[in-house]
């Protein structure tokens, strides 16, 4: 159980276009989802915390107008990279916690999205 | 500053051998420490969780230890297999608030036949 599905797994887009990444909890409800960015051989860097029905909380240095997050339901959060540039090329991962569980419960991760901006 | 440092950065071992990965942290106040395994191009998967009162926890061939006094943890892998090749990430969560975790950079393990 506790499966998180992330789509697409890979996407290539042209500079200036926007890309939407979906993160779905398939068999549980997730009040909170997290979005990360990971560069090669680097750790996951938290970008934002997505809360169902409210505005996302962004980490310092992350542009909220560039990385739009929508968490409209308890099973779906989306990350839209607007006006993508080559420097936005990275591995984006989402994670979710089962609603109602304690904060020390595990994070369930999606399989990530490899974004390449040409 | 809340940090998680892992060593070694990378490790190459032969199939069947044992290895130990290290994690030092300064995260405070401490809630729990998890070890995750991340296969290339995939999301991390939780291996073990350690809370303040736990010293050792095993999950199959994986054994994690925690010394909360020295703020150190280790992950021991016994009789390594080719499928153990992955990045192992130490994640420490603070207590209180929304338990936002702090991620280490990971140790890249390669198991050769």
């Amino acid at each position: 159980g506790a499966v998180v599905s992330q789509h697409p797994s890979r996407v290539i887009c042209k500079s200036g276009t926007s890309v939407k990444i979906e993160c779905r909890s398939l068999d549980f409800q997730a009040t909170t989802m997290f979005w990360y960015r990971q560069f090669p051989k680097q750790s996951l860097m938290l970008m934002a915390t997505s809360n169902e029905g409210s505005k996302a909380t962004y980490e310092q240095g992350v542009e909220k107008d560039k990385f739009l997050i929508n968490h409209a339901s308890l099973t779906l959060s989306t990350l839209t990279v607007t006006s993508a540039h080559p420097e936005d090329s990275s591995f984006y991962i989402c994670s979710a916690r089962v609603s109602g569980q304690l904060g020390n419960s595990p994070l369930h991760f999606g399989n990530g999205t490899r974004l390449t901006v040409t | 500053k809340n940090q998680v440092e892992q060593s070694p950065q990378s490790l190459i071992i032969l199939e069947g051998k044992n290895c130990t990965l290290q994690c030092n942290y300064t995260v405070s106040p401490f809630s729990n420490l998890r070890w995750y395994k991340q296969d290339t191009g995939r999301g991390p998967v939780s291996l073990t969780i350690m809370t303040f009162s736990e010293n050792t926890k095993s999950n199959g061939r994986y054994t994690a230890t925690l010394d909360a006094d020295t703020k150190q943890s280790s992950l021991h892998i016994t009789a390594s297999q080719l499928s153990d090749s992955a990045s192992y990430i130490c994640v420490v969560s603070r207590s209180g608030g929304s338990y936002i975790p702090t991620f280490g950079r990971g140790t890249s393990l390669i198991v050769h036949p």
Side-chain angles (χ1 to χ4, degrees):
Chain A
V3 176
V4 174
S5 174
Q6 194 172 334
H7 179 81
S9 57
R10 292 177 181 272
V11 58
I12 301 173
C13 70
K14 291 185 177 180
S15 186
T17 60
S18 295
V19 175
K20 179 185 283 189
I21 302 170
E22 292 188 348
C23 180
R24 293 180 185 272
S25 55
L26 297 186
D27 48 2
F28 67 98
Q29 293 184 332
T31 308
T32 303
M33 291 186 177
F34 302 93
W35 287 95
Y36 309 83
R37 184 172 180 173
Q38 186 177 34
F39 292 105
K41 300 186 188 244
Q42 297 290 316
S43 179
L44 278 73
M45 292 179 56
L46 180 66
M47 297 175 66
T49 302
S50 169
N51 297 297
E52 185 268 335
S54 63
K55 291 183 178 180
T57 302
Y58 290 81
E59 295 300 300
Q60 191 172 12
V62 178
E63 299 176 58
K64 62 180 181 181
D65 294 329
K66 180 169 184 63
F67 299 100
L68 301 179
I69 292 173
N70 184 282
H71 194 157
S73 77
L74 288 172
T75 59
L76 173 65
S77 176
T78 61
L79 169 68
T80 301
V81 183
T82 63
S83 187
H85 291 288
E87 56 266 30
D88 297 325
S89 298
S90 188
F91 192 55
Y92 294 86
I93 305 178
C94 70
S95 73
R97 253 192 201 114
V98 178
S99 292
Q101 287 194 353
L102 294 176
N104 59 359
S105 60
L107 293 169
H108 302 286
F109 288 85
N111 278 328
T113 296
R114 173 72 60 193
L115 171 63
T116 303
V117 184
T118 60
Chain B
K1 185 178 180 181
N2 294 306
Q3 290 184 315
V4 177
E5 300 288 340
Q6 289 188 243
S7 62
Q9 186 175 15
S10 61
L11 183 62
I12 300 174
I13 61 174
L14 293 176
E15 186 179 12
K17 298 296 185 181
N18 304 334
C19 67
T20 301
L21 315 180
Q22 300 290 342
C23 175
N24 297 337
Y25 62 91
T26 59
V27 176
S28 181
F30 175 83
S31 172
N32 64 81
L33 182 150
R34 283 187 181 272
W35 284 94
Y36 286 84
K37 178 185 179 186
Q38 184 180 19
D39 292 311
T40 300
R42 312 278 285 188
V45 175
S46 179
L47 294 175
T48 66
I49 178 173
M50 310 284 290
T51 57
F52 188 86
S53 59
E54 296 175 305
N55 300 119
T56 303
K57 185 170 283 188
S58 292
N59 177 4
R61 293 180 297 101
Y62 301 104
T63 299
T65 66
L66 174 67
D67 186 332
D69 292 330
T70 61
K71 299 186 177 181
Q72 296 179 327
S73 175
S74 66
L75 180 69
H76 186 76
I77 304 175
T78 305
S80 61
Q81 299 176 358
L82 300 180
S83 59
D84 292 332
S85 296
S87 179
Y88 291 83
I89 304 172
C90 176
V91 183
V92 183
S93 294
R94 281 186 291 156
S95 60
S98 57
Y99 293 87
I100 303 271
T102 302
F103 288 76
R105 290 193 170 199
T107 292
S108 175
L109 174 65
I110 298 174
V111 180
H112 279 311

